[in-house]
Amino acid sequence: MHIKEFQEMIKEIYFHRDSKRGLEKTFLWFTEEVGELAEALRKGDREAMEEEFADVLAWLVSLANIVDVDIEEAALKKYPNNCPYCGKKPCKCEKE
């Protein structure tokens, strides 16, 4: 599945509820999920990490849907198929 397809699936399922909740409250839910991911990472709980990564991604695309941003397009624009610093693939620069 491509990011665009995932974003569209989340939109079909949750957009009505997310848009009704609004940007600020949806962002609060997103940050709560990031906190849960942080806890799973700290504990090293693989099953919880997988679940929380999925939740963070879903809430992230929900936010993007509310503000009408195509995450796949934005990601490819910011991070093309080569290094955004040196222009090479694989990267040959010292940027971190």
Side-chain angles (χ1 to χ4, degrees):
M1 177 184 301
H2 292 272
I3 296 169
K4 188 177 202 78
E5 294 168 324
F6 180 75
Q7 186 172 356
E8 189 58 38
M9 179 188 74
I10 293 297
K11 187 174 189 174
E12 288 175 17
I13 297 169
Y14 298 110
F15 184 74
H16 177 73
R17 191 175 355 177
D18 292 337
S19 61
K20 189 175 180 181
R21 181 185 315 105
L23 182 60
E24 289 179 11
K25 289 181 181 175
T26 301
F27 184 77
L28 288 174
W29 277 98
F30 169 72
T31 59
E32 183 176 314
E33 291 299 335
V34 171
E36 291 175 10
L37 174 59
E39 184 176 341
L41 289 166
R42 183 180 55 78
K43 290 180 178 179
D45 182 340
R46 181 73 180 188
E47 186 175 330
M49 283 188 272
E50 290 176 359
E51 184 175 317
E52 297 308 332
F53 272 117
D55 287 346
V56 167
L57 181 59
W59 283 101
L60 180 65
V61 298
S62 286
L63 286 167
N65 284 334
I66 289 172
V67 296
D68 196 28
V69 169
D70 180 322
I71 289 187
E72 184 171 12
E73 183 179 299
L76 288 171
K77 182 178 177 184
K78 171 88 179 180
Y79 302 100
N81 289 330
N82 51 15
C83 176
Y85 301 108
C86 70
K88 305 287 186 202
K89 182 179 178 182
C91 177
K92 304 286 187 203
C93 69
E94 300 290 322
K95 298 279 185 181
E96 290 186 18

